Amino acid sequence: MEATGAEIVVRCLAEEGVEFVFGYPGGAVLNIYDEIFKQNKFKHVLVRHEQAAVHAADAYARATGRVGVALVTSGPGVTNAVTGIATAYMDSIPIVVVTGQVPTAAIGLDAFQEVDTVGITRPCVKHNFLVKDVKDLAVTMKKAFIIASTGRPGPVVVDVPKDVTAHLTEFEYPATLEMRSYSPVAKGHSGQMKRAVQMLLEAKRPMIYTGGGVVLGDASEQLAEFTRLLGFPITNTLMGLGGFPATDRQNLGMLGMHGTYEANMAMQHCDVLLAVGARFDDRVIGNPAHFAREQRRIIHVDIDPSSISKRVRVDVPIVGDVQNVLADMLVLLKQAKEKPDAAALNAWWTQIELWRSKDCLKYNRNGAIIKPQYVVEKLWEVTGGDAFITSDVGQHQMWAAQYYKFDKPRRWINSGGLGTMGVGLPYAMGVQLAFPDAQVACITGESSIQMNIQELSTCKQYRIPVKVVTLNNRYMGMVRQWQEFFYGSRYAESYMESLPDFVKLAESYGHVGMRIDKPEDVEAALKEAFSPALKERMVFMDFQTDQTENVFPMVEGGKGLSEMILAEEL
Amino acid sequence: MRHIISLLMENEAGALSRVAGLFSARGYNIESLTVAPTEDATLSRMTIVTTGSEEIIEQITKQLNKLVDVIKVMDLTEGRHIERELMLVKVKAVGTGREEMKRTADIFRGRIIDVTDATYTIELTGTGSKLDAFLEAIDSAFIIETVRTGASGIGRGERSLKA
Ligand SMILES: Cc1cc2nc3c(=O)[nH]c(=O)nc-3n(C[C@H](O)[C@H](O)[C@H](O)COP(=O)(O)OP(=O)(O)OC[C@H]3O[C@@H](n4cnc5c(N)ncnc54)[C@H](O)[C@@H]3O)c2cc1C
Ligand SMILES: Cc1ncc(C[n+]2csc(CCOP(=O)(O)OP(=O)(O)O)c2C)c(N)n1
Ligand SMILES: [Mg+2]
């Protein structure tokens, strides 16, 4: 039977087992929306801004490991979606974005709502397609899902002109598909893996540093077994949190610009470093020249060869999927006659414990003003450490990362690479829809939340009961902190005045609003928000926090990892 | 160091812009870039001449390989290879200079492919440096126009780039 392009798009999504399509209609996609209206295989979620559609699809992917899907119209629909696409791209998140386009005959004629979607999105997608012939549509959709979800994942855009959605062709959805130009490496090189295991067993001061790749590659079980067998210290990047349990003593916490003292010191002073699914980001290793001053041998496991030896020289590169590579190295490790050097390891741990005893995350708990760190700690307690936490970008994001101890992967949903303010609320929506019974909290700032505040309306329509935890310091705190440290406390445009009454705002959408001013009320408010009585309700908590609190430790731009500013030194 | 990178990619609309976009987005140098379909019309063969440190060249080849449309990448300069570029030069050819110009073209194995009373158009092929040498050998005041294709390259012997 012949089908129209619009039917084909919808049937391909159904074939892929898509549960949710996050989108917003417009002229170029009306044929597709008409087919969505007629089907019941997946649910369409109408957001209030296309950026939020892509963020919600992105969060769905981060939380479930499956491909997220968004649908937007041509022109402004696409340009609104670009921030979402770039956000997913920087963190390697598998999403497929279907975009409407003007009819093929109108392309290039400055038609109404025409933009060069393939051109605009090219630098921030893993791949993109313009489908000019309806006969190519099903195959292109299949390719999009394969490319998005395999190898190093990433966003794929499929641009479909309006006439193509009306044209007819036979519909057949390929079960699999070979692409001669695309074949990601899965298995690691056996010789390199042997060298790596040998090097690890010879180490005196070993360190394991893992990132988003462990989460994306669903390898946390393999990582846990590997790390525990070796007894080595481990640190996670911001994107890798939850890849190894935060409450495990072997975990030194996050490293990097706002990493713990012990993680950064161990990273700087180790003699063998095993990097797994982490890309030596500039917010992670500080000044690369300073990092290179210390002699250490580096083993780097990554599925993307271009991540290896990009910012630091690597001694043993291993290209492959982290799950396979760790499983294979685990076998080699168990077969090896040698054991890790127990005496050396003991001495190393003694040194690490000394660093850890600095207690670099301590803060003043006795004031009359709510400390943001305290809110996150209490949230961790109240949710039993088992919630999905999304965040926006700023100080609150760092406090969430530092004080909510993630023991499981895919629980921490944030924008690391692009650092996009405004992701928090749509992220929480995507996660909550995927896991309707889970506790989902969005830790945000009063500035970030306003960047996609319109989504309170989406939460109302679909009864999405996310809990928003606003650490309201009446400042773009992260900006204010830099201005305090590096610009002589000249707070140029980083205040947030004329704020709405968030309680009333939430209530106007039919949600529950709470304002919390005193430390002694924090716990009760959180308990109430997560109580069975409010389980079905969206709750907006506005915590009035200390305006001048800063995030510590901190490695200034250009400084070395071991040159941290600690709280007490100020 | 100067490198000649050869690649095979799907002959699809926008393929060239993916490569050009990669070079500009990541700040890599492009000295020249040539592209045309191969004997298999679904494939394009591209030759890129670039310069950079070993680390940068390594990243360039990795990033090119990562492009979904790219099938194979080879750094020709890593092995024995042949490099050729085509140049067309239109020069003033009058009086005694006319004979002189013909002689210089002959020395460089150039061919005169168009003639008027006052001009020659000379076709030359060779490595980029040979073409440079020709331009240096003639008085620049005589040059009316030059057009160069940029280098194409191929491996010597058995060395080849196949899909
Ligand atoms: C305000 C702010 C402050 C920040 N401060 C810090 C900080 O203090 N510390 C910190 O760590 N970050 C910080 N970041 C985040 C930072 O910018 C980077 O996003 C982050 O460090 C990158 O994490 P990653 O190295 O784990 O790489 P990711 O971006 O998660 O990349 C994953 C890597 O794994 C690879 N990979 C993917 N799938 C697989 C697989 N299946 N098998 C093998 N490999 C795979 C990919 O190719 C890639 O190289 C901050 C961000 C913001 C916005
Ligand atoms: C879209 C966007 N614009 C600007 C920035 C730069 N920026 C980073 S943090 C920040 C302030 C965030 O303020 P708030 O949400 O109140 O969080 P706080 O730091 O106060 O916790 C800004 C403006 C950004 N990351 N994203
Ligand atoms: Mg703030």
Side-chain angles (χ1 to χ4, degrees), chain B residues 118-153:
Chain B
T119 67
Y120 282 150
T121 298
I122 304 165
E123 172 196 319
L124 274 143
T125 56
T127 60
S129 50
K130 174 180 157 184
L131 305 188
D132 292 343
F134 176 76
L135 293 177
E136 275 161 31
I138 60 177
D139 187 338
S140 63
F142 287 121
I143 300 175
I144 300 168
E145 190 181 353
T146 64
V147 52
R148 299 172 65 153
T149 57
S152 288

Side-chain angles (χ1 to χ4, degrees), chain A residues 337-524:
Chain A
K337 288 179 205 71
E338 305 92 322
K339 292 278 158 271
D341 183 338
L345 201 53
N346 238 328
W348 180 225
W349 270 112
T350 306
Q351 171 64 70
I352 289 170
E353 290 305 338
L354 210 65
W355 286 327
R356 177 136 62 187
S357 67
K358 275 221 181 220
D359 196 7
C360 68
L361 293 180
K362 67 175 173 283
Y363 63 91
N364 179 7
R365 289 157 201 269
N366 305 323
I369 310 171
I370 299 176
K371 289 288 183 184
Q373 301 94 323
Y374 177 72
V375 178
V376 179
E377 279 186 339
K378 283 290 156 199
L379 177 65
W380 181 75
E381 279 176 33
V382 168
T383 56
D386 202 35
F388 286 86
I389 304 292
T390 75
S391 100
D392 267 300
V393 172
Q395 291 181 318
H396 61 274
Q397 177 189 20
M398 294 299 112
W399 288 317
Q402 292 174 330
Y403 295 90
Y404 198 98
K405 297 185 275 294
F406 295 94
D407 281 339
K408 292 181 193 159
R410 301 196 178 279
R411 293 299 172 106
W412 166 235
I413 315 285
N414 84 131
S415 165
L418 200 65
T420 309
M421 287 171 70
V423 294
L425 182 54
Y427 271 3
M429 294 173 357
V431 175
Q432 187 82 73
L433 286 164
F435 298 103
D437 292 326
Q439 309 179 81
V440 180
C442 163
I443 298 179
T444 182
E446 79 297 334
S447 318
S448 291
I449 192 69
Q450 293 186 82
M451 284 211 182
N452 269 318
I453 192 87
Q454 77 285 347
E455 296 308 314
L456 288 173
S457 174
T458 311
C459 292
K460 178 182 185 186
Q461 180 174 349
Y462 298 95
R463 300 174 192 280
I464 306 175
V466 300
K467 314 295 184 237
V468 172
V469 175
T470 308
L471 303 179
N472 184 345
N473 52 9
R474 281 82 71 209
Y475 268 115
M476 298 174 197
M478 188 56 93
V479 174
R480 196 204 55 76
Q481 176 168 349
W482 283 53
Q483 289 171 332
E484 181 186 331
F485 290 5
F486 313 124
Y487 294 91
S489 295
R490 290 180 301 280
Y491 299 134
E493 308 296 324
S494 58
Y495 49 82
M496 260 297 140
E497 56 181 40
S498 305
L499 285 169
D501 178 334
F502 286 114
V503 173
K504 282 196 184 138
L505 182 69
E507 285 170 356
S508 75
Y509 284 102
H511 302 312
V512 179
M514 299 179 183
R515 180 181 157 122
I516 304 95
D517 295 279
K518 295 199 282 302
E520 56 270 29
D521 297 335
V522 168
E523 189 168 354

Side-chain angles (χ1 to χ4, degrees), chain A residues 152 211-212 237-238 255 257-258 279 283 302 307 321-322 416-417:
Chain A
R152 178 176 183 167
T237 67
L238 181 73
L255 81 165
M257 179 177 274
H258 294 298
R279 54 187 174 83
R283 293 218 153 176
D302 203 291
S307 281
D321 174 57
V322 60

Side-chain angles (χ1 to χ4, degrees), chain A residues 89 118 122-123 125-129 132 143 147 152 179-182 304-311 313, chain B residues 10 12-14 17-18 21-22 25-26 40 42-43 55 58-59 62-63 65-71 163:
Chain A
Y89 178 70
V118 164
R122 196 193 58 229
V125 292
K126 183 169 173 186
H127 199 59
N128 57 20
F129 297 95
K132 285 190 170 160
K143 283 185 182 170
I147 292 169
R152 178 176 183 167
M179 278 171 272
R180 62 178 169 181
S181 65
Y182 179 75
D304 178 359
S306 74
S307 281
I308 299 178
S309 290
K310 179 164 69 177
R311 303 195 70 250
R313 271 269 140 226
Chain B
E10 297 290 354
E12 276 177 19
S17 69
R18 291 185 205 278
L22 170 68
R26 295 190 182 265
D40 173 350
T42 67
L43 290 176
E55 289 77 23
E58 183 182 329
Q59 270 297 312
K62 285 174 169 178
Q63 294 290 349
N65 263 311
K66 200 165 135 179
L67 292 176
V68 169
D69 280 339
V70 169
I71 298 168

Side-chain angles (χ1 to χ4, degrees), chain B residues 26-62:
Chain B
R26 295 190 182 265
Y28 304 143
N29 297 318
I30 298 190
E31 220 167 73
S32 70
L33 187 159
T34 68
V35 59
T38 67
E39 78 283 3
D40 173 350
T42 67
L43 290 176
S44 279
R45 168 97 177 219
M46 197 178 283
T47 310
I48 303 164
V49 179
T50 181
T51 52
S53 63
E54 285 313 305
E55 289 77 23
I56 288 177
I57 300 297
E58 183 182 329
Q59 270 297 312
I60 290 176
T61 50
K62 285 174 169 178

Side-chain angles (χ1 to χ4, degrees), chain A residues 251-309:
Chain A
N251 198 332
L252 309 189
M254 183 170 85
L255 81 165
M257 179 177 274
H258 294 298
T260 67
Y261 184 71
E262 51 272 31
N264 285 346
M265 292 301 276
M267 186 79 178
Q268 181 75 12
H269 296 287
C270 64
D271 70 338
V272 173
L273 178 65
L274 171 64
V276 187
R279 54 187 174 83
F280 291 92
D281 187 81
D282 46 308
R283 293 218 153 176
V284 167
I285 57 163
N287 182 335
H290 183 275
F291 185 67
R293 253 189 243 163
E294 238 68 47
Q295 287 281 323
R296 69 177 84 68
R297 288 183 297 173
I298 301 178
I299 303 160
H300 193 176
V301 181
D302 203 291
I303 201 156
D304 178 359
S306 74
S307 281
I308 299 178
S309 290

